[in-house]
Amino acid sequence: MQFRTTVALVLLAMSPLAFGDDIESWDGEGEVGVLITSGNTEETNINSRIALKYEEAEWRNTGEFRSAYSRSDDVTTAEKYRANLQSDYKFEGSQYVFVRGAYEDDRFSGYDFQSSLTTGYGNQIWQRGEDSFLDLSAGLGYRFNKLEEPDSDGNRDEEEAIARLAGQFDCALSENALFRQKLSTEIGLDENNTVTESETSLQATVVGNLSMKLAYLVQHISDEPEGADDTDTEISLSLLYGF
């Protein structure tokens, strides 16, 4: 509980940095994907996401909030909420140090919640134009998760030091199309539980700031809770609005 509170306080403390009042320093995007079917199977799928960035000469602050919901024949089959905030202090051109807080509540993961707090070093090692770049980062931190059900030893808390490696590759295919690949892994240094996530997406401008986005998300947990799958996948088609 103490670590969960710490992550929440860090996220709140970082919020004023991420959401400054200089409108010219703002950048962001929001997306929503909805699929509703009826007939032999009644199903509703809703995915939403909002990403915000506030950047100045020495600071770059980003936040991302996601939700996913699926319901089939009056039975909820997926319900997930995620949030992360990161604050970067930039120096020596493209290099930076960062602090990052993350929180996830997935009803069907076997966890009551998952959270982490990390700090480390990053570098945008390659850039071409404004929309094509490769960014790599590495850091250390702490993970605190709470299981829905006690494990074989009667414990519900999972906590350990972690190492985090992450990368993002953006490639502008044309003036109206963007390919993006995100990859991250958090390696447990005590229990050796590793969480790896990959998101591959392609977006194309429809008109103005409105785009279509196709994305494939994979999350793998090496030591998943009993009764839960070790790999989750999501395929989404959504409308994205940039601002």
Side-chain angles (χ1 to χ4, degrees):
M1 180 62 70
Q2 290 181 346
F3 185 74
R4 182 182 185 180
T5 302
T6 300
V7 172
L9 290 174
V10 169
L11 292 177
L12 289 172
M14 292 164 64
S15 295
L17 294 175
F19 310 125
D21 56 6
D22 184 358
I23 192 66
E24 294 184 355
S25 299
W26 276 74
D27 191 15
E29 57 187 25
E31 66 179 90
V32 61
V34 179
L35 174 63
I36 301 174
T37 63
S38 62
N40 293 325
T41 301
E42 295 185 357
E43 186 169 1
T44 301
N45 296 283
I46 301 174
N47 296 308
S48 63
R49 169 180 168 269
I50 183 168
L52 302 171
K53 180 171 72 172
Y54 183 80
E55 187 163 7
E56 296 180 332
E58 295 182 336
W59 290 96
R60 176 175 57 239
N61 306 282
T62 55
E64 185 177 63
F65 309 89
R66 294 174 176 256
S67 68
Y69 176 82
S70 180
R71 188 175 181 86
S72 178
D73 291 332
D74 294 327
V75 177
T76 300
T77 56
E79 187 174 358
K80 180 187 295 186
Y81 307 96
R82 308 176 63 185
N84 67 72
L85 288 176
Q86 180 168 320
S87 183
D88 305 332
Y89 177 74
K90 298 180 289 183
F91 65 97
E92 296 293 333
S94 60
Q95 301 180 70
Y96 61 92
V97 290
F98 71 89
V99 58
R100 179 182 187 273
Y103 180 86
E104 178 174 326
D105 183 352
D106 185 349
R107 177 176 171 184
F108 297 93
S109 65
Y111 289 102
D112 184 17
F113 68 86
Q114 302 172 71
S115 61
S116 65
L117 184 63
T118 53
T119 184
Y121 164 84
N123 191 0
Q124 195 172 99
I125 63 173
W126 173 80
Q127 183 170 6
R128 185 185 65 193
E130 294 184 359
D131 299 322
S132 298
F133 63 86
L134 175 61
D135 187 287
L136 301 176
S137 63
L140 297 173
Y142 208 72
R143 171 196 295 152
F144 183 80
N145 303 333
K146 184 171 285 292
L147 296 165
E148 288 185 345
E149 300 293 337
D151 60 19
S152 57
D153 297 324
N155 298 320
R156 289 188 61 201
D157 294 347
E158 289 185 352
E159 48 187 319
E160 62 178 329
I162 58 173
R164 175 179 171 83
L165 304 173
Q168 177 174 331
F169 173 65
D170 279 20
C171 180
L173 303 178
S174 69
E175 292 184 358
N176 300 316
L178 176 69
F179 171 81
R180 174 172 292 166
Q181 175 65 55
K182 293 182 178 181
L183 182 64
S184 66
T185 183
E186 293 184 350
I187 305 164
L189 303 180
D190 299 323
E191 302 296 332
N192 298 316
N193 188 16
T194 299
V195 179
T196 302
E197 183 172 290
S198 170
E199 181 182 28
T200 306
S201 64
L202 180 65
Q203 66 185 65
T205 301
V206 177
V207 59
N209 293 334
L210 188 65
S211 303
M212 290 290 293
K213 178 182 175 182
L214 176 65
Y216 179 60
L217 178 69
V218 181
Q219 185 183 69
H220 177 77
I221 301 177
S222 65
D223 188 13
E224 75 283 2
E226 184 176 353
D229 293 332
D230 61 2
T231 302
D232 285 337
T233 62
E234 296 178 11
I235 299 177
S236 62
L237 180 63
S238 56
L239 282 173
L240 184 149
Y241 181 78
F243 56 89

